[in-house]
Amino acid sequence: EEYQHCQIQPLSKQSTTHPKPIICGLSHWNSVYSGPSNSAEDTAHINLVQEIIQTIPTCKQEEARSTLRKFQYNNFSIFDELHNSYAAGVYPWAATVNHSCCPNVLVRFATAQGEVPILEFVSCKEIQPGDEICHSYVDLTLEEMERKAELKDKYGIHPCDCIRCSSSSAENAMAFWPCGEKETIQTLDPFFWDISHMNEKRQIVPISQVYYTPSDMPLDDIHHCLEQATFSFQKDDDAAELSFLQQALQLYDSKSSLPLSPFSYRICCKLLSSLLVSGKIQEALDICIRIVCCLCVALGKDMVYHPLLGLQLFTLADLYEGCGRNEEATSAYIWCRKILRVTHGKESEMVQRLNMIL
């Protein structure tokens, strides 16, 4: 209905079918990048194409396919304060913003009851006049090769020549690291990376040297444990899921001397959820510390404001408090609030909760 309504409207008019009028993005829909034609995707979309044609008789088959490709290449995942995605939408003006693995803006949504979510870009670092506005299309906790593969497969971006991936701009892919020390699971200290607690024993190293999964590391048995954990989750067998995830992490740690890596991060995220469900607070705290440290290294020294880091810090603070470590809990809450004020907004529900706690 919205599509047909916009087709007969003068371009200068606003849409009136939503509770709050918004400028019609379809006024320049034809100029939105549709991505390359992909026979596999066209086959997968065949039923949806037919449904579109039946719903809008004036829409031709190629137009429907083009529209689906435009949606695939330009849609934004719409998420809540916990970053749980609940919808997707195309915001044509926002879709013109290019990708960077070292972004200077983040995406957030302003939502109100009964109204369309409004996409906002918020700066996450100082932006100089003339700087291009960029946000990240991919998960920044991935290794460089994984990010490049996803950018190529999903968005047709090859190679990624952002300032973080460019060999001539290596200073944009650096992380803080303890001087003369090799991090172990026993010595992980999340507050080492809190920039408000500058540490003299701090050096700057390339992220690729301290945050990676060894290419020659055998992973088959770990993947088997993760598959069994997923199967147990689907069967609502919490105890078995937890056991397989613990086995997966133990196997990883027995094979690698790198406690912080993309692979261990993914295992730990699954394990943290399982531990919380099982009520194992102390073990959950240990894993959450590791997750926060992984994020701090993966995001680098220049990406100090990121929603995933802020949310994990909220969980970390709650766990510290649950274990009676109130001083560390307060420090984590303060660090969390500093990040969420940027990523979520000062008036967000989560920041208001933090204000009450502090």
Side-chain angles (χ1 to χ4, degrees), residues 102 250 307:
C102 187
Q250 288 167 2

Side-chain angles (χ1 to χ4, degrees), residues 43-333:
T43 301
H45 290 157
I46 189 167
N47 292 332
L48 189 52
V49 167
Q50 293 303 316
E51 186 176 341
I52 291 172
I53 293 173
Q54 291 172 7
T55 305
I56 309 175
T58 58
C59 183
K60 304 300 183 184
Q61 188 176 70
E62 184 51 41
E63 183 183 5
R65 285 177 177 170
S66 174
T67 297
L68 287 172
R69 286 199 296 271
K70 287 181 180 182
F71 189 87
Q72 177 182 351
Y73 279 89
N74 295 281
N75 82 84
F76 286 80
S77 175
I78 301 173
F79 45 81
D80 59 20
E81 286 202 326
L82 295 176
H83 264 242
N84 295 317
S85 176
Y86 63 89
V90 172
Y91 295 78
W93 294 333
T96 64
V97 177
N98 284 327
H99 162 80
S100 173
C101 296
C102 187
N104 52 18
V105 296
L106 301 169
V107 173
R108 72 184 186 197
F109 291 91
T111 58
Q113 188 69 31
E115 295 187 359
V116 176
I118 296 176
L119 184 149
E120 298 177 340
F121 283 122
V122 56
S123 62
C124 57
K125 62 180 65 173
E126 187 174 350
I127 301 175
Q128 300 294 336
D131 288 351
E132 180 182 7
I133 301 298
C134 294
H135 75 103
S136 178
Y137 295 2
V138 296
D139 182 354
L140 294 177
T141 65
L142 298 173
E143 289 184 74
E144 182 178 335
M145 294 306 297
E146 292 177 302
R147 295 198 310 272
K148 288 184 174 180
E150 184 172 340
L151 288 167
K152 180 182 178 181
D153 296 342
K154 197 170 182 180
Y155 300 100
I157 299 175
H158 180 70
C160 178
D161 59 357
C162 74
I163 58 175
R164 180 170 175 175
C165 296
S166 171
S167 58
S168 62
S169 303
E171 67 273 11
N172 293 290
M174 309 295 282
F176 290 118
W177 197 256
C179 287
E181 296 181 18
K182 192 166 187 177
E183 284 292 289
T184 66
I185 299 170
Q186 289 73 30
T187 62
L188 292 176
D189 176 13
F191 298 106
F192 169 83
W193 283 278
D194 183 356
I195 60 172
S196 64
H197 298 84
M198 293 301 290
N199 192 314
E200 293 181 359
K201 296 182 179 181
R202 188 187 298 259
Q203 64 178 327
I204 298 176
V205 300
I207 296 174
S208 59
Q209 290 185 10
V210 293
Y211 183 78
Y212 65 95
T213 301
S215 58
D216 58 348
M217 181 176 171
L219 300 174
D220 290 346
D221 50 354
I222 301 178
H223 282 302
H224 175 73
C225 288
L226 293 175
E227 289 169 0
Q228 291 301 310
T230 300
F231 180 68
S232 300
F233 171 78
Q234 293 169 345
K235 292 177 60 179
D236 291 326
D237 189 342
D238 295 338
E241 179 195 9
L242 176 58
S243 176
F244 281 118
L245 289 172
Q246 289 174 324
Q247 289 179 49
L249 189 60
Q250 288 167 2
L251 284 168
Y252 172 86
D253 289 336
S254 69
K255 298 170 184 284
S256 174
S257 61
L258 298 169
L260 309 182
S261 75
F263 198 65
S264 68
Y265 169 76
R266 290 194 283 271
I267 298 174
C268 287
C269 286
K270 294 177 182 290
L271 180 53
L272 176 61
S273 297
S274 186
L275 288 167
L276 291 173
V277 168
S278 302
K280 299 182 179 297
I281 303 302
Q282 181 57 59
E283 293 177 54
L285 173 59
D286 295 337
I287 295 299
C288 193
I289 287 173
R290 191 164 172 176
I291 290 172
V292 168
C293 293
C294 278
L295 284 169
C296 290
V297 174
L299 296 172
K301 68 180 182 65
D302 295 323
M303 193 69 189
V304 297
Y305 298 102
H306 193 281
L308 289 182
L309 178 57
L311 292 171
Q312 287 293 353
L313 283 169
F314 208 142
T315 302
L316 179 65
D318 285 345
L319 289 170
Y320 273 133
E321 190 173 57
C323 292
R325 297 166 65 172
N326 295 331
E327 184 176 345
E328 290 154 302
T330 299
S331 296
Y333 281 131

